[in-house]
Amino acid sequence: LSHLTLTHGWFVQASGAINGVTWTLTLEMQLYLVGFLLLLTPFGASLRHRVWGGVAVLVFLIAIAYRFGVYYFNDQDMVLCLHWISQLPGLCEGFFLGVLIAKHAHHRGNSNFIATAIDRRYTAAIFAAGLIGSIVLVALLEDVNKQYWEHWLFPTFFRSGIAISFALLV
């Protein structure tokens, strides 16, 4: 029943019961629903950029606080910790950044944007920052992979770093 209603991710026992990779379906359905509602909001005015920036900070703080709480109150059961960290709101910042990128691209497409030399340099710098951030995070993960769960820093902040780096790449 939980798989039919796409709520199986809410139950540790049912999350991967039928097929291990289906644990993501609950999360994806929730994110698509939230993303659809976010895409319906207006984005064009410069004041709204500040509002969306503030909402992005709030989304990051909620995701980070949630992951920290899951880690802190977990009693050293890393399987359970991984399960709950991989649910909403623990993964929301990457999806939220994707929605912001889509809204920004849609807004830029509607404004007949013409890239200047400064725009191209700015874009290259953003891409380089994302590429460097991604490489550093992957190297860091490779270096501390065996100790990932031993300290709260990685389970709490790593996913946010990946979300920012990949958003800069996109």
Side-chain angles (χ1 to χ4, degrees):
L1 184 58
S2 65
H3 280 78
L4 288 174
T5 59
L6 294 174
T7 59
H8 55 281
W10 300 344
F11 309 100
V12 176
Q13 308 87 338
S15 185
I18 292 177
N19 184 348
V21 297
T22 62
W23 72 268
T24 64
L25 294 177
T26 301
L27 178 67
E28 291 163 8
M29 257 332 194
Q30 294 168 8
L31 290 173
Y32 289 139
L33 178 62
V34 171
F36 174 73
L37 296 173
L38 287 173
L39 284 172
L40 293 176
T41 61
F43 190 72
S46 60
L47 174 63
R48 292 202 177 98
H49 286 291
R50 284 189 226 124
V51 170
W52 281 106
V55 172
V57 168
L58 182 63
V59 166
F60 270 80
L61 290 174
I62 289 170
I64 289 167
Y66 173 80
R67 287 191 300 263
F68 176 76
V70 166
Y71 182 84
Y72 185 76
F73 294 110
N74 185 30
D75 294 333
Q76 302 302 317
D77 183 351
M78 294 309 132
V79 172
L80 192 59
C81 188
L82 176 61
H83 171 79
W84 288 114
I85 282 178
S86 300
Q87 300 298 317
L88 283 182
L91 298 176
C92 64
E93 68 265 59
F95 192 80
F96 185 79
L97 288 176
V99 170
L100 286 184
I101 290 168
K103 288 181 81 55
H104 181 70
H106 178 73
H107 173 68
R108 293 298 286 267
N110 289 343
S111 64
N112 296 324
F113 177 72
I114 299 171
T116 64
I118 293 171
D119 291 326
R120 287 190 291 277
R121 284 193 295 268
Y122 182 67
T123 301
I126 290 172
F127 181 80
L131 185 60
I132 291 168
S134 299
I135 291 169
V136 166
L137 287 169
V138 167
L140 192 57
L141 181 60
E142 182 66 29
D143 188 42
V144 298
N145 195 22
K146 291 183 175 88
Q147 297 90 24
Y148 185 90
W149 294 104
E150 290 180 11
H151 195 268
W152 62 272
L153 281 171
F154 259 89
T156 302
F157 289 106
F158 185 75
R159 292 179 190 258
S160 295
I162 290 290
I164 291 170
S165 294
F166 283 21
L168 292 173
L169 283 172
V170 172

